[in-house]
Amino acid sequence: MPTVKHYARALGLALSLLLLTDSPAWSQEGHEHHEMEEERDDAPEPEESPESPAEEAEEDPDDVESYQGEEPALPEGMTLDEVLESAEQPPPEDFPDAMHDDAIRAFLLFDQLEYRYDLGDAPDQIGTEISGYVGGDYNRLWLKGEGETSWQGPVGLEGESEIDVLYGRLISPFWTVQIGAQYTNTWAENAYEDIWSGALALQGLAPGMFEVDASLYLTENLNLLADLEAEYDLRITQRLVLQPRAELNFAAQDIPERGIGIGLSQALVDLRLRYEFLREVAPYIGLRYQGLIGATADFAEASGEGASRFFILGGVRFALY
Amino acid sequence: MKDDDAPHNPGSGLTRRRFLLTGATALAGLTLSPKLLASEGDLEPAGDFGELDATAPGGIDLYIERKTLRIDGLPGRAITINGSVPGPTIRMTEGEEAVIRVHNRMREATSIHWHGILLPFDMDGVPGISFAGIAPGETFTYRFRLRQNGTYWYHSHSGLQEQMGHYGQLIVEPRDEDPVDYDVEHTLVLSDWTFEDPTTVYKKLKSFEGYYNFQRPTLANLRQQADATDQGLGEAIGSRLQWNRMRMDSTDIADVTGATYSYLLNGRTARENPTFIAGPGERVRLRLTNASAMTYFDVRIPGLAMTVVQADGQNVEPVEVDELRIAVAETYDVIVTLPDARAYTIFAETMDRSGYARGTLAPQQGMSAPIPERRTRPLLTMADMGMMHGDMESMEGMEGMDHGGDHSAHGGDEASDSKDKIRYPPHDEHNVSSVAHRHALPVTDLPMSVPHGPDDHGAGSITMAENAYRQLDDPGVGLGDDGRRVLTYSQLRILETPPDRRPPTREINLHLTGNMHNYIWGFNGKKWSESEMLRFKYGERLRINFINDTMMNHPMHLHGMWMDLYAGHDYGKNPRKHTVNVQPAELLTVDISVDAPGQWAFHCHLLYHMKAGMFRTVAVVRDLKGEPIYADR
């Protein structure tokens, strides 16, 4: 009959076996810290799976004999086995995250908020362009908008705006692909028109440090439109920046009711000189050339408008975040 | 208006914020005299820190609290330890047990990590890995036996607290005789301070590339750009266009600069001129710690040679130098001797030259020596992008430096041999055993460079370097070409060979990656939250090959275990470090005795890089088999 003593002995042997298996070969000599130390010599050699190349390397006599392992620093009350066991687990539930590298952030840039003084007979404008996002590093909800309004023309207050709401994903270090919807509207004294479109865009930094935003729109009337914007920051001093900017609009078909003709329909070429008091607050002055092209110009002239306009402009660029 | 293009302008240390504050104070009819401010707000100055012995009977108590201190002459909201920034210098004795009760008197959780100290993992002080952190109002008792000696430091590992003054120096006295002979010693804690909230700093870095860089290439400084790289104007414009084509900035040397930072030595700015007393003929031991969040310092004492005797707490064979670059989180002990009763300036210029910290070494208080002129901001070159492999200009002008007689440390000239062609595939966390080696790895004549290969690190990594190459003889960008003897890693030789110098049997290739455009940082293109734990096998000797794919320096810090830095000489003489600096496009190898069971932090010690994901959890486990372990549950 096995006695309590037998059980204790068996348990001791089992424990020492465990300890042995869990101690690397190099830590077996010259130690007084393990309580089971004396029993170790009686224990049989642990079995190791020969398939593991790492473990075979561990048995390489060149490795083992040249090193006398130092006593590992163990937490109070924990055996080596328990520490190694816990190292295999994710951190305990009551631990906070070690890092917060995926926080959600929001950013809104008023790239343009400006008064445009028309050098011809056409009315002056107040214009704006914004872009911003909410999200993490890779996935974001984007908002882009631009609009302008005037009040000196024959119909009084009139204007138009475009707002894009897009889901964007960073697909490479410099490029974000965006998909979503655009809402455009025009308003005048007795008229309000709007249209929805599906939008697909590629936005990023092209080689040469050009900020590029290329968008495709399919309207609810199944018209296909495209926008291409590019800008460049030329630093004159650390805070004085000259920014040339170009925007080209294209259409795949004539849309007479919106005054848009097939092909390249409009070109905007801007030049802004800004002074960055802060990175996020920079007043500027600038010039704009706006040219309607081809069939679009014809539509404009037919309705008594000029095809090209020049503006002097001034405003402030600022960011909220 | 501040002229940002003139790095030599002494006024350019004044940031806009301080300028505004100064204006506001002047309007209120006050001057900025420290005496007045002190009586006004009754503010204690930063830099008044004491000394405690943590291995003395009964241990010590540290109280963490938010407090407004006078920093750089202005009120700064800091996190103090026992009321001071830096915290008290903590002394310990090797072989004894340290007992440190940390009382959190803030409304947020905190922690202290004992940087470079070997201890049980639950005493390491990393919230989320080693323990749960110290909750507001609570006390945590750190208790560990010292198994080493030397100069180390401690700091918070919670959020961005370290940026707010939560750090201090830690000195472990040797149990036996100290091989370093000295008469006087001084604690020199270098750091960077901002009056901005560190979370704002981080937000700005995330939102605007180069927010704090006011030393960019511009039209106005084209001449300086040409001079900085010894080019003609035409060539300078050519290289500008080349950098533009790569969408990179050759002045991207520091993310956060003197535009917001005040640089501190023991909590004092250059104007406050902390003074360290030593008499002529005395051997002075300066214990240098870089406790900065983001700033590398180039330290020199014009007129005095410095003998480096310790690096990262480990005694090294003495090397005499004129200057040394101290990476974030490194420590160096140097011995200097005053030849006369004059004052000498301790000058710590930032790597990007946007500011400096300064102190004076003199026989008595009140003395000072001239402050040297600041050098112009260097420009990164194509070599920093690994594109001029074998043609390192930085090798020139280093005659007279001790190259150690071992040519394997040289950085490129004989790198055209066949070892050149060895590819280091990126480490695959899902298939650890595939990189296991059956045999001991070589410990001398390691490959001088590796071609990068296809970039498969994804959107989190902008890889420009075609080659990563060993730069052990290169003191770093902006150093080594003015005739000064500058410390390099190849000169570090450990004084006493540690017991375990087995050749490693397994290697991990770790690419340091980042996307400066979106301020994403990580390893192999992954942030901490996207990664699983790196597994080290308990008892193994492990090699890590760091391959820096970025244009920035990264001080890599492993908790709990030493990294034996491959410095190119006799394997037994390679220095042991807790933090190794990896230069742009550098291939740097460390070997590790994996003797610390548990889970540990492993990260870039640039605070905002770490925050942005350049961090891994290391699990020291029984074997490498089994399911991946994710730290982010």
Side-chain angles (χ1 to χ4, degrees):
Chain A
M1 284 292 283
T3 64
V4 177
K5 232 169 146 182
H6 280 102
Y7 279 120
R9 192 173 162 73
L11 189 69
L13 193 69
L15 273 174
S16 60
L17 250 173
L18 254 177
L19 272 173
L20 250 186
T21 323
D22 297 330
S23 305
W26 47 261
S27 71
Q28 286 178 29
E29 297 202 336
H31 285 175
E32 289 88 41
H33 63 285
H34 285 304
E35 287 170 23
M36 296 295 183
E37 195 68 35
E38 314 88 293
E39 300 197 35
R40 233 179 222 187
D41 292 341
D42 312 329
E45 283 298 310
E47 280 183 13
E48 299 216 48
S49 61
E51 301 91 54
S52 161
E55 278 171 36
E56 269 189 27
E58 215 52 58
E59 288 171 2
D60 186 341
D62 288 342
D63 290 344
V64 178
E65 283 174 10
S66 61
Y67 179 60
Q68 306 282 303
E70 218 193 313
E71 174 183 356
L74 298 177
E76 215 164 277
M78 278 177 96
T79 63
L80 176 62
D81 197 41
E82 286 166 341
V83 178
L84 288 168
E85 188 64 41
S86 75
E88 285 279 7
Q89 313 297 326
E93 287 298 320
D94 59 325
F95 280 18
D97 269 358
M99 282 294 121
H100 306 276
D101 58 17
D102 49 1
I104 301 294
R105 299 180 306 110
F107 180 81
L108 187 61
L109 175 70
F110 283 77
D111 204 14
Q112 304 167 14
L113 184 62
E114 63 197 22
Y115 190 91
R116 298 177 187 141
Y117 173 78
D118 188 286
L119 289 172
D121 302 330
D124 295 351
Q125 293 177 352
I126 286 176
T128 184
E129 182 176 279
I130 60 168
S131 73
Y133 56 77
V134 179
D137 288 328
Y138 296 102
N139 298 296
R140 288 172 178 175
L141 184 67
W142 284 84
L143 178 72
K144 297 184 208 171
E146 58 179 87
E148 59 204 35
T149 186
S150 62
W151 57 94
Q152 296 161 337
V155 293
L157 191 68
E158 60 178 331
E160 58 185 66
S161 76
E162 301 168 358
I163 294 169
D164 295 18
V165 178
L166 308 155
Y167 158 75
R169 180 166 174 79
L170 192 69
I171 53 156
S172 80
F174 295 107
W175 295 101
T176 299
V177 165
Q178 298 160 334
I179 187 161
Q182 183 185 60
Y183 178 73
T184 63
N185 61 356
T186 57
W187 66 87
E189 204 163 354
N190 291 315
Y192 185 88
E193 281 171 36
D194 59 7
I195 194 154
W196 286 90
S197 309
L200 182 67
L202 182 67
Q203 186 184 347
L205 189 69
M209 299 293 250
F210 296 96
E211 288 279 358
V212 173
D213 189 349
S215 306
L216 265 183
Y217 300 102
L218 185 63
T219 70
E220 53 188 300
N221 306 323
L222 301 181
N223 294 317
L224 191 64
L225 298 161
D227 274 9
L228 181 64
E229 293 175 28
E231 62 189 42
Y232 180 80
D233 279 357
L234 179 67
R235 296 198 168 269
I236 297 171
T237 72
Q238 298 299 334
R239 293 176 189 273
L240 193 63
V241 183
L242 185 68
Q243 185 195 64
R245 180 177 185 279
E247 180 178 339
L248 302 174
N249 301 330
F250 303 87
Q253 64 288 301
D254 285 326
I255 316 172
E257 64 274 19
R258 295 175 68 188
I260 297 171
I262 189 167
L264 177 61
S265 59
Q266 178 181 249
L268 285 171
V269 181
D270 300 355
L271 196 62
R272 289 182 181 77
L273 181 67
R274 70 172 188 264
Y275 187 81
E276 295 182 349
F277 279 104
L278 300 170
R279 294 279 189 229
E280 51 275 73
V281 183
Y284 60 84
I285 51 169
L287 299 168
R288 161 170 283 196
Y289 164 78
Q290 175 185 326
L292 303 179
I293 291 154
T296 311
D298 299 341
F299 285 129
E301 274 157 16
S303 63
E305 290 169 32
S308 58
R309 300 175 69 179
F310 285 95
F311 299 92
I312 292 178
L313 50 88
V316 61
R317 171 186 143 113
F318 66 98
L320 303 171
Y321 60 106
Chain B
M1 203 42 59
K2 176 177 161 188
D3 182 6
D4 302 304
D5 277 323
H8 292 286
N9 181 354
S12 60
L14 193 72
T15 69
R16 184 153 310 277
R17 182 184 166 85
R18 268 174 284 159
F19 175 79
L20 291 175
L21 279 170
T22 310
T25 321
L27 273 180
L30 294 169
T31 70
L32 265 184
S33 131
K35 213 196 295 174
L36 257 178
L37 255 184
S39 60
E40 260 299 304
D42 210 14
L43 287 182
E44 294 166 43
D48 274 356
F49 56 96
E51 194 172 286
L52 296 167
D53 184 352
T55 46
I60 58 169
D61 291 276
L62 297 180
Y63 300 92
I64 317 285
E65 60 190 331
R66 281 187 186 259
K67 191 173 155 186
T68 304
L69 292 176
R70 181 153 47 82
I71 298 171
D72 201 4
L74 293 166
R77 193 76 181 143
I79 297 181
T80 62
I81 303 165
N82 290 5
S84 66
V85 169
T89 298
I90 300 178
R91 288 193 180 263
M92 304 177 180
T93 306
E94 187 180 1
E96 306 288 313
E97 189 183 52
V99 178
I100 306 162
R101 289 169 297 272
V102 179
H103 309 273
N104 182 3
R105 291 184 169 174
M106 300 193 296
R107 286 198 203 129
E108 62 193 284
T110 191
S111 59
I112 295 186
H113 163 59
W114 314 98
H115 188 110
I117 302 294
L118 311 175
L119 34 61
F121 83 94
D122 64 340
M123 293 290 133
D124 192 43
V126 182
I129 296 181
S130 321
F131 72 148
I134 311 171
E138 286 196 352
T139 297
F140 183 87
T141 304
Y142 289 92
R143 192 184 282 275
F144 50 89
R145 191 165 297 283
L146 277 309
R147 296 136 45 89
Q148 66 203 103
N149 63 66
T151 305
Y152 303 91
W153 66 298
Y154 63 92
H155 59 85
S156 171
H157 226 290
S158 301
L160 300 174
Q161 291 177 358
E162 189 193 314
Q163 176 80 84
M164 302 180 75
H166 190 318
Y167 46 77
Q169 198 170 67
L170 189 165
I171 299 165
V172 186
E173 302 289 352
R175 180 172 32 192
D176 308 320
E177 205 192 338
D178 196 333
V180 182
D181 173 35
Y182 58 97
D183 304 310
V184 199
E185 67 176 317
H186 291 293
T187 286
L188 268 61
V189 180
L190 291 160
S191 62
D192 45 26
W193 168 264
T194 171
F195 290 94
E196 292 188 89
D197 184 334
T199 59
T200 307
V201 173
Y202 181 64
K203 224 162 53 175
K204 287 177 172 177
L205 293 171
K206 280 290 222 185
S207 303
F208 299 85
E209 186 174 6
Y211 185 95
Y212 292 105
N213 185 355
F214 288 96
Q215 300 186 89
R216 280 173 164 168
T218 65
L219 274 185
N221 66 18
L222 206 52
R223 168 54 59 190
Q224 273 173 281
Q225 294 171 53
D227 291 346
T229 45
D230 279 329
Q231 291 174 315
L233 264 187
E235 286 175 292
I237 292 168
S239 58
R240 270 277 21 86
L241 294 175
Q242 204 179 345
W243 282 94
N244 274 0
R245 208 156 47 237
M246 297 184 300
R247 295 166 282 192
M248 297 281 160
D249 182 348
S250 56
T251 66
D252 191 11
I253 291 168
D255 292 340
V256 192
T257 69
T260 187
Y261 275 152
S262 305
Y263 298 106
L264 306 180
L265 172 56
N266 285 359
R268 307 284 166 106
T269 56
R271 266 179 294 157
E272 295 168 295
N273 189 20
T275 303
F276 305 91
I277 304 299
E282 282 183 317
R283 283 172 65 85
V284 190
R285 180 179 195 160
L286 302 175
R287 297 178 184 266
L288 269 169
T289 296
N290 187 351
S292 295
M294 294 296 280
T295 307
Y296 283 59
F297 287 99
D298 294 335
V299 182
R300 60 194 156 114
I301 307 176
L304 292 187
M306 303 184 288
T307 304
V308 178
V309 293
Q310 208 181 75
D312 285 11
Q314 299 295 288
N315 293 318
V316 294
E317 290 180 4
V319 193
E320 193 179 281
V321 296
D322 299 317
E323 182 162 18
L324 64 86
R325 171 164 291 173
I326 184 166
V328 171
E330 284 185 322
T331 66
Y332 282 105
D333 281 25
V334 300
I335 299 284
V336 296
T337 308
L338 269 67
D340 45 35
R342 286 164 48 208
Y344 290 85
T345 297
I346 301 168
F347 192 61
E349 198 174 11
T350 66
M351 179 166 64
D352 73 323
R353 313 293 179 234
S354 68
Y356 58 91
R358 163 237 191 179
T360 297
L361 192 61
Q364 60 200 40
Q365 288 290 344
M367 296 176 73
S368 67
I371 302 176
E373 191 175 285
R374 278 151 67 194
R375 294 167 286 195
T376 38
R377 170 267 288 122
L379 282 175
L380 296 171
T381 66
M382 290 298 138
D384 295 305
M385 315 276 289
M387 289 185 181
M388 269 186 206
H389 162 233
D391 181 24
M392 292 167 56
E393 311 94 318
S394 51
M395 298 300 293
E396 293 155 21
M398 287 170 65
E399 298 88 356
M401 289 190 54
D402 177 18
H403 281 223
D406 186 342
H407 57 264
S408 65
H410 283 241
D413 26 355
E414 60 270 274
S416 49
D417 60 12
S418 60
K419 284 188 228 106
D420 218 19
K421 303 286 179 278
I422 294 175
R423 279 272 301 281
Y424 282 1
H427 177 58
D428 181 0
E429 285 165 10
H430 294 275
N431 194 6
V432 180
S433 57
S434 71
V435 290
H437 289 257
R438 295 170 63 95
H439 302 295
L441 294 164
V443 293
T444 53
D445 295 324
L446 299 187
M448 295 307 295
S449 77
V450 286
H452 187 272
D455 181 1
D456 46 10
H457 299 318
S461 169
I462 302 171
T463 304
M464 298 307 297
E466 289 163 11
N467 293 285
Y469 52 96
R470 299 215 186 267
Q471 301 176 43
L472 294 163
D473 271 336
D474 184 356
V477 64
L479 288 182
D481 52 4
D482 55 6
R484 288 193 184 91
R485 296 169 299 171
V486 192
L487 184 73
T488 60
Y489 272 177
S490 68
Q491 292 174 309
L492 296 177
R493 283 168 178 68
I494 198 158
L495 198 62
E496 266 183 73
T497 304
D500 185 17
R501 279 288 152 107
R502 292 171 298 160
T505 51
R506 188 166 76 93
E507 66 185 335
I508 288 176
N509 300 316
L510 210 57
H511 289 255
L512 316 186
T513 55
N515 177 342
M516 291 77 85
H517 193 54
N518 289 280
Y519 213 75
I520 304 168
W521 296 96
F523 301 111
N524 298 336
K526 286 179 182 167
K527 303 190 284 186
W528 178 80
S529 57
E530 300 169 308
S531 72
E532 65 195 61
M533 290 188 200
L534 270 179
R535 278 199 240 200
F536 295 2
K537 185 181 146 106
Y538 179 62
E540 75 178 333
R541 272 283 279 181
L542 176 72
R543 169 163 295 169
I544 293 182
N545 298 306
F546 294 109
I547 299 158
N548 190 347
D549 290 354
T550 77
M551 294 179 23
M552 304 204 90
N553 284 271
H554 299 286
M556 293 300 309
H557 173 46
L558 173 65
H559 290 218
M561 289 157 273
W562 289 111
M563 294 183 283
D564 300 337
L565 170 70
Y566 172 73
H569 29 76
D570 173 13
Y571 194 59
K573 284 290 173 189
N574 282 338
R576 273 202 313 201
K577 298 197 90 239
H578 50 61
T579 308
V580 291
N581 184 49
V582 192
Q583 296 188 37
E586 183 168 15
L587 162 67
L588 189 109
T589 297
V590 298
D591 292 345
I592 299 161
S593 295
V594 181
D595 54 8
Q599 288 181 3
W600 304 94
F602 183 35
H603 58 95
C604 172
H605 220 286
L606 296 179
L607 188 63
Y608 300 103
H609 288 188
M610 175 175 96
K611 164 96 176 154
M614 212 163 187
F615 190 103
R616 281 291 183 278
T617 305
V618 163
V620 172
V621 295
R622 193 182 288 113
D623 62 56
L624 303 175
K625 289 167 276 181
E627 292 300 302
I629 319 168
Y630 288 91
D632 195 18
R633 298 172 309 274

